[in-house]
Amino acid sequence: MRLIISFLLFLVLNITFGQQKRELTEQEYLILQDKIRLNTSKNLDSSFVYVHMMEKSNNNKHLAFANGALSYLFQLKNNTLKSKEKYLLAFKFLDKMPESTEKTRLKSYLYNYGGLIEYKRANYSEALENYQLGIKLSLQLDDIIQIVKFKSNIAFVNEAVGNYELAIKNLRQLDVVVNNNENFYTKEQFNTIKSNNNITLGGSYESLYMKNQSKKYLLDSAAYFYTKTISFSQNNPGNKMAAKISLGNIYYLKNDFKNAEKTYYDIVIFAKQNKLNREFTIANYNLGNLYFDSKKYDKALVFLKRVDSISQVNNFEDENSLKANYYLAKIYNIKKEPELAYKYSKIYLNNYEKSEAKLSNEALEVNYKLGTDDLSDEMVTIQKKYENEVFFNKALKVFYVLLVIGIVFLLIKNIRDKNKAHKKMNALIEEFKANLEKKENESILEIETHETLELDDIQLKKENVNLSIDEAKENKIVEKLLALENKLEYLNADFTLQYVAKKIKTNTTYLSYVVNKRFGKSFGEYSNELKINYVINEMITNHMYRKYSTQAIAESVGFKNAVSFAKSFRKRTGVSPAQFANNI
């Protein structure tokens, strides 16, 4: 007996201490937070388990978040009473926290949950108000992830009340922000927000098409974003199913009834297996609608009555059950069953008036609040801030790539230029060496030069057709020029057109004409070439000459400065005087 009592006491103590609250570590809290958020969209029961684990903490921050999450989870199960109770409790725990950045951040989370809850209740103006309060807090903290969440949720509200173009504009803007700041998110967080944004974009384009059915391209845009939703929804079966349902709708709107029917049937089976009640209801309604339009009324009744039954069991009227009643009334009217037609038409009319009045009021409230408290400017500021950072990083990378390409290009060009210059220089050296070997005496050179000039005379064009000089006079001028060349007169700094014309007793016009005609160049070019050829010859034959500075060589051939000499030398040889000397 004593042994049994001891065992029972031990068991009671174990249970007591096992249930005693302890404070979670910050890491444990953050891990649970992520698990709650991620499982909300794929496994509601798992989310409840993780929330209850967080509830065991004695930290006010943890308890505030846990109750905020619970309030949303209960609303997803349509337990509005329990949802309100938990939401109030969340703020009670929040109030116990001292003022801090962490408290402000947590408050923004609770406002986000508040907006989601009101959205689920179709209280869109209340949802918007919560999002606007939350986004102000997130802007204070410069919390880009939370800001994007709020702006995304505001876009969902716009889509719900019929502001489709505004929703599209905001979501496309957000998509750029999310893509540019992917490194702020975990992979699952990134996929979740991309999934949510894409499915709302698809819905907005589809709804916009329903308002203007002449714009067929809107359906293609909707299909594009639904397909993107599926690719980002591996861990979000709710969105995945919703996107597949919507793709079925696109088939339907394009009169592809076969594919639409197949898509809806696949969803009915999958949703039933995975207990996805909302998707199960929508797919059943869509099949009922499709069969009604195909005039297969008996088949339509099966699916539409199923939607009505689900609504009655859950005691919850939504858009699908409302529309199901509409088609049930029409079918029974066609089948001439007045009692049933009356029954469903009455249900439809009663709920339709309430629904439309509520939606109309919500739309007015939402648009009023957007007009009086639009936070787009703050969002644009935040977006630009991060866009500039991303742009700077990308620009820097592009700059480095271009710099490397530029350096490689210049190196290759430099090597090619050097090779080209060396080939040209070596050819010149060989040419001058060959000329030196051929020289026998001054007279032979003069005769050869004269003959060459006579041959060139046939090929060269006259620059001034109005100028005509006697051939004998031309030859005389050439002979005198050659005589000046032999005396190395061109090495004189005063070897100018005026000086030479005076020296050989002719005028500058005749001299310029003859040089141009016989040598195919201006007098300045002719003079420079003589000087440069002299330098090349001296460098090849006189090793001491190669040791002179560029300035000294320039002065030795009558150039006024080393810069103009080096420029003329490089033009003739392709390299500098120093490079030429080193290569010999």
Side-chain angles (χ1 to χ4, degrees), residues 71 73-87 117-118 120-121 123 316:
S71 64
L73 294 174
F74 278 120
Q75 189 59 52
L76 289 176
K77 284 183 171 286
N78 297 320
N79 191 339
T80 302
L81 192 64
K82 201 73 174 171
S83 173
K84 288 180 178 179
E85 176 191 319
K86 291 296 180 182
Y87 195 63
I117 290 163
E118 296 300 340
K120 287 295 176 185
R121 294 172 187 160
N123 297 330
F316 181 73

Tab-separated table of all heavy atoms in Angstrom, residues 71 73-87 117-118 120-121 123 316:
chain	number	residue	atom	x	y	z
A	71	SER	N	-5.823	33.645	-32.419
A	71	SER	CA	-7.019	34.385	-32.851
A	71	SER	C	-7.242	34.218	-34.352
A	71	SER	O	-8.377	34.065	-34.823
A	71	SER	CB	-6.896	35.877	-32.496
A	71	SER	OG	-5.829	36.464	-33.200
A	73	LEU	N	-6.001	31.609	-36.231
A	73	LEU	CA	-6.274	30.196	-36.495
A	73	LEU	C	-7.734	29.843	-36.204
A	73	LEU	O	-8.377	29.110	-36.970
A	73	LEU	CB	-5.344	29.310	-35.668
A	73	LEU	CG	-3.842	29.398	-36.018
A	73	LEU	CD1	-3.012	28.591	-35.036
A	73	LEU	CD2	-3.592	28.927	-37.443
A	74	PHE	N	-8.268	30.387	-35.099
A	74	PHE	CA	-9.682	30.129	-34.778
A	74	PHE	C	-10.609	30.729	-35.838
A	74	PHE	O	-11.648	30.160	-36.165
A	74	PHE	CB	-10.031	30.666	-33.385
A	74	PHE	CG	-9.645	29.746	-32.266
A	74	PHE	CD1	-8.761	30.142	-31.271
A	74	PHE	CD2	-10.165	28.455	-32.193
A	74	PHE	CE1	-8.400	29.289	-30.240
A	74	PHE	CE2	-9.810	27.580	-31.157
A	74	PHE	CZ	-8.925	27.999	-30.182
A	75	GLN	N	-10.206	31.912	-36.368
A	75	GLN	CA	-11.028	32.536	-37.407
A	75	GLN	C	-11.020	31.685	-38.676
A	75	GLN	O	-12.028	31.580	-39.372
A	75	GLN	CB	-10.541	33.949	-37.713
A	75	GLN	CG	-11.468	34.745	-38.618
A	75	GLN	CD	-12.868	34.884	-38.022
A	75	GLN	OE1	-13.037	35.297	-36.883
A	75	GLN	NE2	-13.886	34.509	-38.799
A	76	LEU	N	-9.870	31.071	-38.962
A	76	LEU	CA	-9.794	30.193	-40.138
A	76	LEU	C	-10.733	28.997	-39.988
A	76	LEU	O	-11.188	28.425	-40.975
A	76	LEU	CB	-8.352	29.710	-40.351
A	76	LEU	CG	-7.346	30.760	-40.844
A	76	LEU	CD1	-5.946	30.170	-40.905
A	76	LEU	CD2	-7.744	31.310	-42.201
A	77	LYS	N	-11.009	28.623	-38.726
A	77	LYS	CA	-11.963	27.538	-38.462
A	77	LYS	C	-13.389	28.079	-38.258
A	77	LYS	O	-14.274	27.379	-37.776
A	77	LYS	CB	-11.515	26.755	-37.220
A	77	LYS	CG	-10.331	25.819	-37.493
A	77	LYS	CD	-9.981	25.023	-36.264
A	77	LYS	CE	-8.950	23.945	-36.585
A	77	LYS	NZ	-9.501	22.810	-37.333
A	78	ASN	N	-13.562	29.378	-38.558
A	78	ASN	CA	-14.872	30.050	-38.459
A	78	ASN	C	-15.404	30.143	-37.019
A	78	ASN	O	-16.606	30.260	-36.801
A	78	ASN	CB	-15.915	29.364	-39.347
A	78	ASN	CG	-15.554	29.449	-40.812
A	78	ASN	OD1	-15.080	30.482	-41.268
A	78	ASN	ND2	-15.738	28.360	-41.532
A	79	ASN	N	-14.489	30.106	-36.057
A	79	ASN	CA	-14.872	30.272	-34.654
A	79	ASN	C	-14.591	31.727	-34.257
A	79	ASN	O	-13.573	32.046	-33.631
A	79	ASN	CB	-14.079	29.302	-33.769
A	79	ASN	CG	-14.624	29.252	-32.343
A	79	ASN	OD1	-15.305	30.169	-31.885
A	79	ASN	ND2	-14.325	28.178	-31.636
A	80	THR	N	-15.513	32.600	-34.639
A	80	THR	CA	-15.315	34.038	-34.446
A	80	THR	C	-15.258	34.424	-32.965
A	80	THR	O	-14.459	35.283	-32.564
A	80	THR	CB	-16.440	34.826	-35.143
A	80	THR	OG1	-16.442	34.491	-36.529
A	80	THR	CG2	-16.247	36.325	-34.989
A	81	LEU	N	-16.089	33.794	-32.142
A	81	LEU	CA	-16.128	34.104	-30.704
A	81	LEU	C	-14.774	33.843	-30.055
A	81	LEU	O	-14.231	34.695	-29.342
A	81	LEU	CB	-17.212	33.263	-30.018
A	81	LEU	CG	-17.584	33.663	-28.582
A	81	LEU	CD1	-18.203	35.051	-28.557
A	81	LEU	CD2	-18.541	32.638	-27.971
A	82	LYS	N	-14.218	32.668	-30.313
A	82	LYS	CA	-12.925	32.300	-29.743
A	82	LYS	C	-11.823	33.196	-30.305
A	82	LYS	O	-10.876	33.577	-29.612
A	82	LYS	CB	-12.621	30.836	-30.073
A	82	LYS	CG	-11.599	30.176	-29.170
A	82	LYS	CD	-12.167	29.898	-27.800
A	82	LYS	CE	-11.178	29.101	-26.948
A	82	LYS	NZ	-11.609	28.996	-25.552
A	83	SER	N	-11.941	33.548	-31.581
A	83	SER	CA	-10.959	34.408	-32.241
A	83	SER	C	-10.885	35.775	-31.561
A	83	SER	O	-9.803	36.289	-31.268
A	83	SER	CB	-11.326	34.580	-33.715
A	83	SER	OG	-10.493	35.514	-34.335
A	84	LYS	N	-12.055	36.370	-31.285
A	84	LYS	CA	-12.085	37.686	-30.626
A	84	LYS	C	-11.493	37.614	-29.220
A	84	LYS	O	-10.765	38.513	-28.792
A	84	LYS	CB	-13.526	38.202	-30.560
A	84	LYS	CG	-14.075	38.638	-31.912
A	84	LYS	CD	-15.509	39.137	-31.799
A	84	LYS	CE	-16.031	39.628	-33.143
A	84	LYS	NZ	-17.424	40.100	-33.086
A	85	GLU	N	-11.817	36.545	-28.522
A	85	GLU	CA	-11.321	36.361	-27.151
A	85	GLU	C	-9.788	36.323	-27.138
A	85	GLU	O	-9.144	36.993	-26.317
A	85	GLU	CB	-11.892	35.055	-26.590
A	85	GLU	CG	-11.392	34.684	-25.203
A	85	GLU	CD	-11.778	33.263	-24.835
A	85	GLU	OE1	-12.932	32.841	-25.128
A	85	GLU	OE2	-10.927	32.551	-24.265
A	86	LYS	N	-9.185	35.553	-28.049
A	86	LYS	CA	-7.727	35.407	-28.086
A	86	LYS	C	-7.035	36.695	-28.536
A	86	LYS	O	-5.945	37.021	-28.091
A	86	LYS	CB	-7.341	34.256	-29.025
A	86	LYS	CG	-7.726	32.874	-28.502
A	86	LYS	CD	-6.968	32.544	-27.217
A	86	LYS	CE	-7.320	31.172	-26.667
A	86	LYS	NZ	-6.611	30.893	-25.394
A	87	TYR	N	-7.713	37.441	-29.422
A	87	TYR	CA	-7.104	38.684	-29.919
A	87	TYR	C	-7.009	39.724	-28.798
A	87	TYR	O	-5.995	40.417	-28.656
A	87	TYR	CB	-7.917	39.228	-31.090
A	87	TYR	CG	-7.183	40.292	-31.886
A	87	TYR	CD1	-6.014	39.993	-32.558
A	87	TYR	CD2	-7.673	41.592	-31.955
A	87	TYR	CE1	-5.341	40.960	-33.304
A	87	TYR	CE2	-7.013	42.566	-32.685
A	87	TYR	CZ	-5.836	42.233	-33.359
A	87	TYR	OH	-5.170	43.192	-34.073
A	117	ILE	N	-7.666	38.600	-39.894
A	117	ILE	CA	-8.912	38.120	-39.279
A	117	ILE	C	-10.120	38.854	-39.865
A	117	ILE	O	-11.120	38.240	-40.266
A	117	ILE	CB	-8.861	38.305	-37.741
A	117	ILE	CG1	-7.846	37.328	-37.130
A	117	ILE	CG2	-10.230	38.109	-37.109
A	117	ILE	CD1	-7.411	37.685	-35.724
A	118	GLU	N	-10.026	40.191	-39.925
A	118	GLU	CA	-11.138	40.985	-40.466
A	118	GLU	C	-11.348	40.690	-41.946
A	118	GLU	O	-12.479	40.698	-42.448
A	118	GLU	CB	-10.886	42.481	-40.246
A	118	GLU	CG	-10.841	42.916	-38.788
A	118	GLU	CD	-12.143	42.640	-38.029
A	118	GLU	OE1	-13.206	42.461	-38.671
A	118	GLU	OE2	-12.103	42.594	-36.788
A	120	LYS	N	-10.877	37.798	-43.371
A	120	LYS	CA	-11.599	36.524	-43.420
A	120	LYS	C	-13.085	36.705	-43.094
A	120	LYS	O	-13.939	35.960	-43.563
A	120	LYS	CB	-10.980	35.522	-42.447
A	120	LYS	CG	-9.638	34.970	-42.890
A	120	LYS	CD	-9.787	34.147	-44.156
A	120	LYS	CE	-8.452	33.672	-44.677
A	120	LYS	NZ	-8.569	32.979	-45.977
A	121	ARG	N	-13.372	37.717	-42.275
A	121	ARG	CA	-14.772	37.999	-41.927
A	121	ARG	C	-15.440	38.876	-42.977
A	121	ARG	O	-16.594	39.284	-42.818
A	121	ARG	CB	-14.837	38.713	-40.570
A	121	ARG	CG	-14.370	37.865	-39.391
A	121	ARG	CD	-14.290	38.703	-38.125
A	121	ARG	NE	-13.688	37.957	-37.023
A	121	ARG	CZ	-13.156	38.518	-35.942
A	121	ARG	NH1	-13.165	39.847	-35.803
A	121	ARG	NH2	-12.628	37.772	-34.990
A	123	ASN	N	-14.753	41.890	-43.494
A	123	ASN	CA	-14.786	43.277	-43.000
A	123	ASN	C	-13.557	43.994	-43.576
A	123	ASN	O	-12.567	44.231	-42.886
A	123	ASN	CB	-14.751	43.307	-41.473
A	123	ASN	CG	-15.969	42.651	-40.861
A	123	ASN	OD1	-17.053	42.667	-41.443
A	123	ASN	ND2	-15.809	42.052	-39.691
A	316	PHE	N	-22.444	28.459	-42.510
A	316	PHE	CA	-21.631	29.574	-43.001
A	316	PHE	C	-21.955	29.852	-44.462
A	316	PHE	O	-21.839	28.973	-45.316
A	316	PHE	CB	-20.138	29.233	-42.862
A	316	PHE	CG	-19.224	30.341	-43.322
A	316	PHE	CD1	-19.081	31.497	-42.564
A	316	PHE	CD2	-18.520	30.224	-44.510
A	316	PHE	CE1	-18.232	32.515	-42.984
A	316	PHE	CE2	-17.673	31.238	-44.944
A	316	PHE	CZ	-17.537	32.377	-44.175
